Amino acid sequence: MGLGGFGCIYNNLVEIGSDGVLKPELAESYEAAPDAKTWTFKLRSGVTFSNGKTLTADDVVASINHHRGADSKSSAKPIVDGIANIKSDGSNTVVIELSSGNADFGYLLSDYHLVVGPADNGKVDWSAHIGTGGYTLAEYDVGNRLLLKRRDGYWKPNAAWFDEVEIIGIDDVAARMNAVLTGEVDVISNADIATVGRLKARSDVVVDEVTGTQQFTMPMFTDTAPFNNVDVRLALKYAIDREEMVQKILNGHGKVANDQPIAPANRYFNTDLPARAYDPDKAKFHLKKAGADGLKVDLHAADAAFQGALDTAVLFSEQASKAGINVNVVREPNDGYWSNVWTKKPFVMCFWQGRPTEDWMFSQVYAADAPWNDTHWKNPHFNKLLMEARSELDYAKRKEMYGEMQRLVSDDGGVIIPMYANYVLVRRAEVAHGPSLSSVSELDGLKCGERWWFA
């Protein structure tokens, strides 16, 4: 199902608002124990599913348990692995015990996978698409089209204003742009950043832009030569012109990044860690130190990684040549890129949505045992700090820890992150939204169907 459909049909225990603040959703309130190991959620009363069933704690327990267990194939399994036990305490209270303290656990429960469905004997039939959200499923053509209809009596006030929401898959960016400019659709995400600047003079459409957490990356295997030498990695990082990347690849719709995944939209972004300036001489210094003069590497790329990935790889090849590095761009087919190239080849183009919290991003991609550790990076000091920061409740101490972890990834890690890309969308002028848009993901945190309205 299209991700936007989840935010229309279902709700989570908590949600991240357009202002970036975590707040209760199906939960009326929540509280963490002083050690952040036990979390208690009080559910709202009177919430019903679209089939008329009243929401209870058992529904929440069954919904989250769906993603747990050794046999779980859920993409959310890594998110809930820290749960030691989950139970209902009466019909309106859920108690979650963690294996270790996690001050950010509430944010994890906002993930779109962890929506709540109705339980029957401890199981949820997700194929029925029954939720507590403001819309019900009317038609579904997998991968192409999703039609939702507003349900009567939605429990959340001042939300779900549209009579119908239709989500259409349009892969071609030019076709997407044409669809919104002709009024065939009301809003598109992933707009063509090369042409949106021309729309400012038009009164019938509006361009919205949000600095979020999405990032374009170049992961390399740190256990595979020549990338197992930190000086080779640093040489490659100094051989990239980030300013030129932002201007030529993003057309200015983004920010320079500094080879670590925590973006300016995150709470603990390290403002004292400057991005590396393009410095071919420093790159040559590190190459000589590594004994890798005349370095030649293959960089595997396809636009399946992100819009403009091939152009990014070619531009990097041109920039690196001034440092005496031969970056050979291997053009891969779009089909099968994520299954045959990413995590299979030692140096590739990649894209990450980013995550609302530092721990979430680091735990899923950069920890030694992370399920998606696409650089094979294992840094003992980083992993020690990750465990300590997770349960640390003092803001200043956590900020210092996460700042150091960002520095470690930037200086020692196996990823080049030259730029953070803005979310850029185009909407018809008659479509309105509140004063801010979520920086968590595109389309107002995938909640535009619930939060927006026709003016």
Side-chain angles (χ1 to χ4, degrees):
M1 174 178 291
L3 301 188
F6 280 87
C8 290
I9 295 175
Y10 300 100
N11 301 113
N12 294 61
L13 276 175
V14 295
E15 67 175 321
I16 300 175
S18 293
D19 56 3
V21 176
L22 184 71
K23 59 183 181 181
E25 190 170 28
L26 289 177
E28 185 176 65
S29 64
Y30 59 90
E31 182 179 16
D35 61 0
K37 285 184 66 174
T38 302
W39 290 69
T40 303
F41 298 84
K42 299 288 186 181
L43 301 184
R44 298 182 188 275
S45 60
V47 175
T48 61
F49 292 94
S50 58
N51 65 354
K53 180 185 184 300
T54 299
L55 171 72
T56 69
D58 290 339
D59 299 313
V60 176
V61 172
S63 297
I64 294 178
N65 275 338
H66 168 79
H67 306 280
R68 301 177 65 218
D71 297 330
S72 172
K73 299 296 190 294
S74 170
S75 298
K77 187 178 186 299
I79 302 175
V80 297
D81 268 349
I83 297 178
N85 186 42
I86 178 172
K87 63 183 179 181
S88 56
D89 182 9
S91 61
N92 289 313
T93 303
V94 176
V95 179
I96 300 178
E97 298 173 3
L98 307 179
S99 54
S100 60
N102 187 342
D104 288 334
F105 179 68
Y107 284 89
L108 299 183
L109 293 178
S110 70
D111 182 80
Y112 76 90
H113 293 92
L114 302 181
V115 294
V116 176
D120 184 9
N121 293 321
K123 302 289 183 181
V124 177
D125 179 11
W126 297 106
S127 65
H129 304 300
I130 296 171
T132 56
Y135 298 87
T136 58
L137 182 64
E139 298 177 22
Y140 186 25
D141 179 8
V142 179
N144 295 311
R145 178 176 177 269
L146 185 71
L147 180 63
L148 308 166
K149 292 186 179 293
R150 190 179 193 278
R151 59 175 284 210
D152 294 330
Y154 182 36
W155 64 270
K156 192 182 290 189
N158 299 320
W161 299 100
F162 303 113
D163 293 330
E164 292 184 350
V165 173
E166 184 178 16
I167 301 172
I168 305 170
I170 306 176
D171 292 333
D172 183 76
V173 64
R176 279 201 303 276
M177 291 290 287
N178 184 65
V180 72
L181 294 179
T182 60
E184 181 182 349
V185 301
D186 295 301
V187 60
I188 63 166
S189 61
N190 296 315
D192 184 0
I193 55 177
T195 61
V196 291
R198 306 171 195 167
L199 305 182
K200 292 181 179 179
R202 293 185 57 152
S203 61
D204 58 335
V205 293
V206 179
V207 178
D208 285 318
E209 189 162 352
V210 181
T211 299
T213 57
Q214 66 174 337
Q215 53 205 254
F216 299 155
T217 76
M218 304 176 190
M220 49 190 136
F221 291 169
T222 57
D223 56 1
T224 301
F227 311 113
N228 56 348
N229 188 309
V230 66
D231 282 294
V232 169
R233 303 198 292 268
L234 285 170
L236 290 166
K237 292 174 182 179
Y238 278 113
I240 192 165
D241 189 332
R242 300 156 200 277
E243 293 285 355
E244 186 177 28
M245 287 281 181
V246 170
Q247 295 307 315
K248 289 188 175 180
I249 303 300
L250 297 180
N251 288 274
H253 299 283
K255 294 183 180 298
V256 166
N258 55 357
D259 302 324
Q260 60 83 22
I262 306 308
N266 290 110
R267 285 179 297 167
Y268 299 108
F269 176 70
N270 188 348
T271 57
D272 296 325
L273 183 65
R276 287 182 179 84
Y278 180 46
D279 195 332
D281 288 335
K282 273 193 177 180
K284 291 176 182 178
F285 166 80
H286 285 286
L287 285 179
K288 185 175 182 180
K289 189 176 177 183
D293 290 333
L295 178 69
K296 180 178 180 179
V297 295
D298 289 339
L299 175 58
H300 301 264
D303 281 339
F306 57 85
Q307 182 185 331
L310 271 171
D311 289 342
T312 303
V314 171
L315 182 57
F316 177 43
S317 178
E318 295 170 356
Q319 295 169 347
S321 67
K322 296 178 182 178
I325 301 173
N326 184 343
V327 176
N328 177 46
V329 178
V330 181
R331 296 172 182 256
E332 300 283 358
N334 286 325
D335 290 345
Y337 183 82
W338 294 108
S339 56
N340 300 326
V341 179
W342 179 65
T343 70
K344 303 297 192 301
K345 306 291 186 178
F347 192 26
V348 304
M349 303 300 295
C350 183
F351 158 85
W352 283 99
Q353 185 77 35
R355 298 295 184 270
T357 72
E358 287 75 4
D359 180 75
W360 194 343
M361 188 71 210
F362 283 147
S363 298
Q364 285 198 324
V365 186
Y366 293 88
D369 59 351
W372 294 323
N373 185 343
D374 56 7
T375 62
H376 303 179
W377 185 60
K378 297 181 180 181
N379 183 297
H381 184 40
F382 175 90
N383 288 290
K384 180 176 181 290
L385 285 172
L386 181 63
M387 295 303 296
E388 293 173 352
R390 184 174 298 156
S391 56
E392 178 58 63
L393 299 180
D394 183 273
Y395 176 86
K397 291 180 180 179
R398 291 192 91 200
K399 182 178 178 63
E400 182 179 354
M401 289 178 180
Y402 285 128
E404 173 65 6
M405 290 159 72
Q406 290 168 62
R407 187 195 64 78
L408 286 170
V409 176
S410 180
D411 291 347
D412 184 65
V415 65
I416 300 171
I417 306 180
M419 49 192 166
Y420 304 115
N422 291 350
Y423 298 115
V424 182
L425 62 89
V426 181
R427 58 184 165 90
R428 302 295 299 179
E430 59 267 26
V431 178
H433 57 67
S436 59
L437 292 176
S438 172
S439 62
V440 172
S441 62
E442 60 190 4
L443 296 173
D444 205 358
L446 302 175
K447 289 268 192 175
C448 63
E450 175 174 290
R451 296 173 178 168
W452 298 9
W453 63 91
F454 281 126

